[in-house]
């Protein structure tokens, strides 16, 4: 052995000893933190039956602080993800949070659920967006996670329409970068692919790539990406477009990575529940408004936003379910309903609208 390797080995040993010591400290601090969370639970329990254990506004603040405080070498996102998991475990000690999401397992909505609640939440896949709403309304789960818009393909109508017949609120949002891959099973012959399965939204998000690489291959829309991945197992002439989780879950091989047409392709998901969330300091508010069907109605609706200098982030129109050619507007803007300016604007809009429902004020997605 040369002198160099001896000193290299020695250095490695010292570094590992240091890491062991640091791990000991981290473990002690995490236990101390978990003990605090248990005490918090006692304080919350004293408020009675409806004690709210999961506090979206507080969690957003903890994550933002973790990012602000970070000075590297880990990225801010990586640091926040670690804190996300610590909080998830602490919350589970207080009370395990139950979450339903649009399934099946392996979908991007499952990935969004994990990103938002961490691995200690108890999550359950359901077959349809309506079912997620229903289970939260029935109290079978505490929260639901549903997709609401995609940066390439636009709004998910089904989610918006569900709010028309529901009393649920929006308690949070989470954004997910969507990377699609073309995947095959171990029996697929890559040169003989005649059929590609995926969800219609995903096929649309990869349209140009498919036109360029598989122009004459049949595109088959199925109920989810996970379903597409499942079908490919055992089909020698088929491929699927889906995400990492589906590839892993069904043991598929990725043939082409990141085939989405737009590199910034992302989907926004909503956390639905029954809770009214206090301000986190950086929030968004979502409204559902119906207007009288008369000239200038849309102008009257939007005017207070300009006057109170409120930053609109989205306006969607959906046919109302109460009559032909009448519409419901879904409006998102920056800020919390309880802050001055916004509270006044909402009062004025309420006075000129035939119906106004604040779907919720909630922390802007952190991760
Ligand atoms: C500890 C609390 O309860 C939960 C756990 C949190 C945490 O671990 O930091 C934060 C918010 C709550 O979801 C709290 O409300 O402060």
């Amino acid at each position: 052995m040369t002198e160099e390797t001896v000193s290299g080995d020695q250095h490695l040993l010292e570094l590992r000893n240091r890491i062991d010591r640091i791990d000991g400290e981290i473990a002690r601090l995490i236990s101390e933190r978990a003990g605090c969370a248990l005490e918090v639970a006692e304080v919350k329990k004293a408020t009675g039956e409806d004690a709210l254990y999961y506090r979206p506004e507080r969690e957003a603040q903890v994550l933002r602080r973790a990012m602000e405080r970070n000075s590297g070498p880990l990225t801010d996102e990586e640091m926040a993800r670690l804190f996300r998991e610590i909080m998830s475990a602490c919350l589970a000690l207080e009370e395990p949070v139950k979450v339903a999401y649009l399934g099946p397992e392996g979908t991007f909505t499952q990935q969004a659920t994990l990103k938002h609640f961490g691995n200690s939440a108890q999550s359950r896949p359901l077959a349809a967006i309506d079912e997620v709403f229903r289970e939260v309304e029935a109290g079978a789960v505490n929260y639901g996670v549903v997709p609401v818009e995609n940066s390439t393909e636009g709004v998910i109508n089904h989610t918006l329409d569900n709010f028309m017949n529901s009393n649920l609120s929006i308690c949070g949002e989470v954004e997910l970068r969507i990377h699609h891959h073309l995947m095959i099973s171990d029996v697929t012959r890559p040169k003989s692919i005649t059929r590609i399965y995926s969800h219609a939204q995903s096929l649309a998000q990869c349209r140009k790539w498919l036109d360029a690489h598989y122009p004459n291959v049949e595109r088959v829309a199925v109920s989810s990406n996970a379903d597409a991945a499942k079908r490919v197992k055992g089909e020698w002439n088929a491929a699927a477009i889906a995400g990492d989780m589906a590839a892993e879950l069904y043991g598929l091989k990725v043939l082409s990575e990141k085939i989405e047409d737009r590199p910034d392709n992302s989907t926004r998901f909503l956390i639905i529940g029954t809770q009214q969330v206090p301000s986190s300091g950086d929030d968004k508010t979502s409204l559902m408004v119906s207007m009288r069907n008369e000239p200038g109605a849309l102008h009257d609706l939007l005017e207070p936003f300009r006057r109170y200098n409120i930053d609109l982030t989205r306006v969607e129109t959906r046919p109302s379910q109460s009559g032909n050619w009448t519409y419901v507007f879904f409006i998102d803007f920056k800020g919390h309903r309880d802050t001055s300016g916004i509270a006044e604007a909402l009062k004025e809009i309420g006075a000129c609208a035939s119906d106004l429902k604040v779907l919720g004020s909630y922390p802007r997605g952190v991760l």
Side-chain angles (χ1 to χ4, degrees), residues 1 23 31 44 54 58 85 114 164 169 184 197 201 212 221 231 280 317:
M1 242 192 289
D23 285 351
S31 298
K44 288 177 182 169
Y54 169 60
R58 169 70 182 157
E85 282 308 320
L114 281 171
M164 293 189 206
S169 315
I184 53 173
Y197 295 110
Q201 281 256 350
R231 282 169 194 251
S280 72
T317 313

Side-chain angles (χ1 to χ4, degrees), residues 33 36-38 40-41 44 52-56 58-59 62 86-91 94:
R33 189 188 196 283
C36 279
L38 277 175
V40 167
K44 288 177 182 169
L52 291 173
Y53 294 94
Y54 169 60
R55 298 287 172 85
R58 169 70 182 157
E59 295 210 350
V62 171
I86 293 174
M87 271 199 297
S88 181
C90 287
L91 175 62
E94 291 186 42

Side-chain angles (χ1 to χ4, degrees), residues 253-278:
K253 191 175 120 194
V254 172
L255 202 58
S256 302
E257 242 188 334
K258 298 186 180 168
I259 61 169
E260 59 278 3
D261 294 335
R262 295 176 56 127
D264 58 349
N265 186 34
S266 52
T267 296
R268 185 171 161 251
F269 300 82
L270 296 177
I271 314 302
I272 52 173
T274 51
Q275 191 170 346
Q276 299 251 354
V277 183

Side-chain angles (χ1 to χ4, degrees), residues 96-332:
V97 60
K98 291 193 220 111
V99 186
Y101 65 90
L102 176 65
E105 263 188 286
T107 55
F108 288 112
T109 316
Q110 183 185 25
Q111 208 175 316
T113 306
L114 281 171
K115 186 176 178 190
H116 190 81
F117 287 99
N119 278 280
S120 299
Q122 294 176 0
S123 64
R124 177 142 60 94
L126 294 175
I129 290 171
D130 317 39
E131 277 184 50
V132 177
F133 272 80
R134 229 178 298 134
E135 285 292 279
V136 183
E137 278 160 4
V141 291
N142 308 108
Y143 302 95
V145 183
V146 288
V148 69
E149 58 178 324
N150 173 267
S151 60
T152 313
E153 278 304 292
V155 69
I156 288 113
N157 293 329
H158 219 67
T159 292
L160 293 188
D161 291 352
N162 261 286
F163 282 110
M164 293 189 206
N165 305 308
S166 170
N167 282 323
L168 294 183
S169 315
I170 302 174
C171 309
E173 64 170 5
V174 53
E175 210 177 294
L176 198 68
R177 265 295 170 85
I178 302 289
H179 295 303
H180 290 303
H181 316 305
L182 187 75
M183 49 191 79
I184 53 173
S185 77
D186 42 13
V187 299
T188 312
R189 289 189 221 140
K191 293 219 158 48
S192 314
I193 294 170
T194 58
R195 194 180 302 138
I196 295 179
Y197 295 110
S198 195
H199 188 268
Q201 281 256 350
S202 308
L203 289 171
Q205 288 165 28
C206 304
R207 190 181 296 125
K208 285 194 201 129
W209 188 90
L210 285 168
D211 289 347
H213 295 86
Y214 291 90
N216 301 315
V217 165
E218 187 191 6
R219 299 171 199 178
V220 185
V222 292
S223 65
S224 70
N225 292 331
D227 182 28
K230 198 164 153 189
R231 282 169 194 251
V232 161
K233 280 215 81 76
E235 290 196 29
W236 62 271
N237 59 342
I241 294 176
D244 289 316
M245 285 192 90
E248 209 170 295
L249 186 66
Y250 294 104
L252 299 183
K253 191 175 120 194
V254 172
L255 202 58
S256 302
E257 242 188 334
K258 298 186 180 168
I259 61 169
E260 59 278 3
D261 294 335
R262 295 176 56 127
D264 58 349
N265 186 34
S266 52
T267 296
R268 185 171 161 251
F269 300 82
L270 296 177
I271 314 302
I272 52 173
T274 51
Q275 191 170 346
Q276 299 251 354
V277 183
S279 172
S280 72
D282 186 7
D283 303 280
K284 258 162 107 172
T285 298
S286 297
L287 307 179
M288 190 172 79
V289 199
S290 320
M291 296 301 288
R292 294 174 305 278
N293 210 348
E294 58 190 37
L298 184 58
H299 175 268
D300 291 349
L301 167 63
L302 295 178
E303 198 277 328
F305 288 104
R306 191 190 56 77
R307 197 154 23 85
Y308 287 97
N309 210 6
I310 297 169
D311 194 356
L312 296 182
T313 55
R314 189 174 65 127
V315 178
E316 298 289 346
T317 313
R318 293 290 303 147
S320 103
Q321 290 170 353
S322 55
N324 273 351
W325 313 117
T326 58
Y327 297 92
V328 175
F329 301 99
F330 287 89
I331 300 175
D332 287 355

